[in-house]
Structure formats: C-alpha cells, structure tokens
Amino acid sequence: MTGAARRNRRGVAALLVAEVASLTGSQLSTVALPWFVLTTTGSVVRMSWVMAAYFVPVALFGIVAGGWAGRVGARRWMILSDLSRFLLTAAVPALYALDALSFPLLLLLTFLTGAFWAPYMASQQTVLAGVTGEDEQALARSGSLLQGATRTAVVLGPPGGAALVVLLGAPAVLLIDAASFLVAAALVGWMVSDQARPPEDAPMRSKVREGMGVLRRDRLLFFWSAGTMVTESAGQALLAAFPVLVKLQFRGGVGMVGALLACFGTGALIGSLLAPLVLRRTTAVRLATSAKVLQVVALVPIAFALPPWGFAVVLAVWGVFVGLTNGPAAAVRLLRIPVRLRTEAMAVVTTVTLLGGSAGLLLVGVAFQQFGTRVPLVVMLVIQAAGAALFLIGTVRFGGRPTPDAAVQAEGQRPAVEPAPDAPAAPVKRVRPTGPPSL
C-alpha cells in the first residue's frame, strides 16, 4: 500500500471517529434538551421551538456560509465550526449555573450553534471526496461508512442521554456534548490531510451562483434535492414527535424516548453497513432511489394505532432504508458537481434539506397540540410519499450522466475549438440519457 493510500485510509478513519464523537455528544443533547424544556415548561410548542432554533439559521446563513466555507477551505471550516460550537454549547450550562439562562437566550445560543450546520456538512462531504477519490463505488462505500458512523452515534447517544439525564442532569449532559466538539476538531486537525486547492480569483458570490446553477441544470439533482427537502420535513417532525408520543400516547418516560431513537439509529446503522455490500450488485442511483421508496412503505403502519413495541419495529425498519439511501445519494450528488464548486453546491443541497427539517420541527408542536397524535402521523406519511415520488421522478427521467454541455457550463470552460468570428454558431445538441435505469 502506498503512502498516499495509507494517508487516505487514515483520513477516512479520522472522519468516521470524529463523526461518532461529535454526534454522540449531540445525540445526548437531543434527548436532554427537549425533554428538559417539555418537563419544565409543560409546553410542546416551546419544545419544538428549541429544536427548530437549531435548523432555522440554515434559511438565513446556509447558502452564504457555504461560500465562506469554500473560501476558507473545507477542512479548516470543519475545525472552525467544531471549536465555535464547543464555546456556544458550553455557554448553556455555564449560564444555567449562574441562573442567567432565559428562554430567549437559550433560543439564541441554539440558533448560533445551528448556523454552522449546513456548511459543516457540505465541507465534510467535500473532505471525504478529497481523501477517497472520484470513483463512484468507492465514494458511495465511504459515504455509507460515514453514515454508519452517524448512526452509531444515534444508537449510542439517546440511551446514554436518557441515563445521564437521570444521573447527572441536563446541564452536565450539555457539557459532555461541548467536549465532543473539541475531540472532533482535534481528530480532523491532526489526522485528515488538507486537500484544499489554491485560492481562486472568482468572487465568493459568483461561485455560490455557479453552484446553484449546477443544481438547477442537473435535473436529477434538482428533483432529488426537492424530494429530500419534502421527506426531511416529515422525517424530522416524526423524530421530534417522540417525546410527545411517549408522554401523551404511550404514557412513558424519558427512557422510552431514548429507546425509540435507538431503534431508529440501530436500523439506520444496519442499512449503512449493508449499503457497501448491496453496491457490489447495483449502482448508487438505483440503490438510493429504491431505498427512498421503501422508506415510505416501511412507515405505512404509523397510520394505525400501534403499541410501543410495534412503533419501535417500524422505526427500526424505516431506519434500515434510510441508511441504505443516504451514502449512495451523497456520492451521486458529489460526483455530478464540479470539484471546484462542491463545497458551495453541497451547502445549497444541505440548506434545502435542512429547511425541510426546520419546517417539520416548527409545525410538529402546533400540530400535536391541535389535532392529537393520529392526524399528524398520517400527514407525515403522506408528505413522505410525496417526497419519494419527486425522488423517483428524478431518477426515472434524468438518471443518466450529466449532459456534456451542462458539464462545460458548470466548469466554466470554453469549447476546445472555437468557431471563426464570422462563422454562424453551430446549434447546440442536447444529449439525453438513452433510457431510464431499471429499478
């Protein structure tokens, strides 16, 4: 094995460990913070506001911050984001200890922490592509392993968070979350090589516009982004509803919230680990699309009254298909975007996705308060189906490689041979895929 290959494997391993460390801490807070707000205020609406505050800044800063990340460099932005989130997260228990943490201030700190999320995720994907290479199968496998690391955090975090809330209290759990950001920053800083390219003269706004232009022209990416935004709104609403369902429908406690989240995380982890094996027999596009459709099928039982164990089984099966979708879908997106625009374009994709999640989080509290539990769950299922339909349309109609003229426009290149000044312009021939892939 060459030295470059060893460095690349070490970089991928460092990204995986950093993801487990950082997200395990965040998953502790996922249980501790909403449960704390729900039990101390008795307000479902306030609980959903706190959770939404993490995603709302995506609407304001996600795309612009993607330009900042592209200018700073993907690896450097990851380190900067982790250090900033360490300070913001640690401020919550510190202010609470000083009896200076008001609800508006909690919303503000959560809001500022969330502002780093979209460009961080875009930078992470760009760094992964840099250390993995441009092969779709290799990138899809690495992306699935990264998703597996994420799901490991989802499995470990909620039960641990529930137990630690009981043993130590919510402020101590938030301190653990803050420390996890420091660990992630250290791992990326020490073990992931800098794949940054030399700075370009192009203004930041120009590159952001180019990145958005790529997503508009590539119809597969357009439909996939729209479909993911829709499904994410329902998916995040469903995950945010766990405390409400446990408290109102199942009459359980915080331990059941952690158990349900762990069931989803376990299923997603299994799916992420299965994805590299399935990719030996199919393409990333087909796997991502098939699994996206099967997510809807898996959620159909939530429209009916289920006992807690039945709901847990549904979540686990749903998680398997979520795990099978995300890694291959991310690989397809990355390889259809020009290298120099990946951070900016992926920030747009992440922003659009999280906007859907923000909408779901903002509405879930009001929906359960007004209509109980059954109607919102049915609505979530219908929304999931609509998003999967958009995803499927994109694959069936535009599942081939990007058209050559779109790739040239995206890279900002000129044709290899220019016509003479007086010669009439040749018509542009649009190349379409020969046919839809078989699913």
Side-chain angles (χ1 to χ4, degrees):
M1 181 182 296
T2 65
R6 283 195 296 269
R7 286 193 298 273
N8 289 348
R9 290 188 64 178
R10 184 179 64 182
V12 173
L15 283 174
L16 298 181
V17 177
E19 188 74 358
V20 171
S22 176
L23 280 181
T24 298
S26 297
Q27 288 297 318
L28 299 179
S29 294
T30 297
V31 174
L33 191 58
W35 187 260
F36 174 76
V37 175
L38 183 62
T39 54
T40 55
T41 68
S43 172
V44 175
V45 174
R46 281 198 169 192
M47 181 208 72
S48 64
W49 284 357
V50 170
M51 298 185 71
Y54 192 80
F55 295 100
V56 166
V58 173
L60 302 178
F61 305 122
I63 295 175
V64 174
W68 298 340
R71 181 66 64 179
V72 172
R75 174 179 168 274
R76 293 176 184 174
W77 185 267
M78 289 182 67
I79 297 171
L80 175 64
S81 296
D82 280 330
L83 293 177
S84 300
R85 290 187 291 179
F86 159 71
L87 295 173
L88 291 166
T89 305
V92 174
L95 291 170
Y96 179 80
L98 297 172
D99 198 23
L101 183 64
S102 64
F103 184 71
L105 184 55
L106 175 60
L107 289 177
L108 176 62
L109 290 171
T110 308
F111 180 91
L112 293 175
T113 304
F116 289 94
W117 182 253
Y120 178 88
M121 295 302 295
S123 298
Q124 184 188 68
Q125 294 294 323
T126 302
V127 170
L128 180 65
V131 298
T132 301
E134 298 294 309
D135 178 75
E136 182 180 273
Q137 291 287 327
L139 186 56
R141 287 193 293 269
S142 297
S144 296
L145 290 175
L146 184 61
Q147 290 295 322
T150 301
R151 303 313 174 185
T152 300
V154 176
V155 173
L156 298 176
L164 290 173
V165 166
V166 175
L167 293 174
L168 304 176
V173 174
L174 293 174
L175 277 177
I176 296 173
D177 182 18
S180 71
F181 288 123
L182 274 184
V183 173
L187 284 169
V188 174
W190 290 339
M191 299 187 68
V192 178
S193 60
D194 195 346
Q195 305 287 331
R197 293 171 172 265
E200 298 183 24
D201 294 332
M204 184 180 72
R205 290 184 180 179
S206 174
K207 290 192 68 179
V208 171
R209 285 196 298 268
E210 284 187 76
M212 296 176 69
V214 171
L215 300 177
R216 285 197 305 269
R217 286 190 295 271
D218 192 315
R219 306 308 290 175
L220 176 72
L221 296 184
F222 180 83
F223 274 91
W224 276 23
S225 298
T228 303
M229 181 182 70
V230 173
T231 56
E232 191 71 12
S233 65
Q236 288 296 328
L238 179 58
L239 294 175
F242 287 1
V244 182
L245 290 170
V246 167
K247 192 173 181 66
L248 300 182
Q249 182 169 316
F250 300 142
R251 310 298 180 190
V254 67
M256 186 179 292
V257 177
L260 290 177
L261 284 169
C263 286
F264 168 74
T266 301
L269 174 60
I270 292 172
S272 298
L273 295 177
L274 286 175
L277 302 177
V278 180
L279 284 167
R280 295 176 181 176
R281 297 183 174 274
T282 188
T283 65
V285 172
R286 293 170 183 167
L287 176 57
T289 305
S290 302
K292 177 68 76 171
V293 173
L294 290 172
Q295 287 179 37
V296 180
V297 177
L299 283 178
V300 168
I302 70 171
F304 306 94
L306 294 174
W309 66 267
F311 198 77
V313 170
V314 170
L315 293 177
V317 176
W318 176 47
V320 170
F321 294 120
V322 171
L324 286 169
T325 301
N326 290 342
V332 172
R333 288 190 183 99
L334 276 170
L335 294 180
R336 295 176 75 101
I337 298 171
V339 173
R340 70 184 186 88
L341 298 175
R342 278 181 181 165
T343 302
E344 292 82 1
M346 287 304 297
V348 175
V349 172
T350 306
T351 297
V352 169
T353 300
L354 294 181
L355 280 175
S358 300
L361 291 173
L362 284 170
L363 296 175
V364 64
V366 175
F368 276 92
Q369 187 167 283
Q370 293 293 325
F371 303 105
T373 59
R374 180 67 60 81
V375 172
L377 289 175
V378 172
V379 172
M380 290 175 197
L381 177 60
V382 173
I383 293 174
Q384 281 275 344
L390 288 171
F391 208 90
L392 181 61
I393 290 171
T395 299
V396 172
R397 295 196 59 189
F398 310 104
R401 302 298 298 172
T403 61
D405 64 300
V408 169
Q409 293 178 35
E411 291 283 8
Q413 298 172 350
R414 299 178 67 85
V417 179
E418 295 187 3
D422 298 330
V428 177
K429 182 179 180 180
R430 300 283 180 178
V431 181
R432 297 184 179 273
T434 55
S438 57
L439 296 178

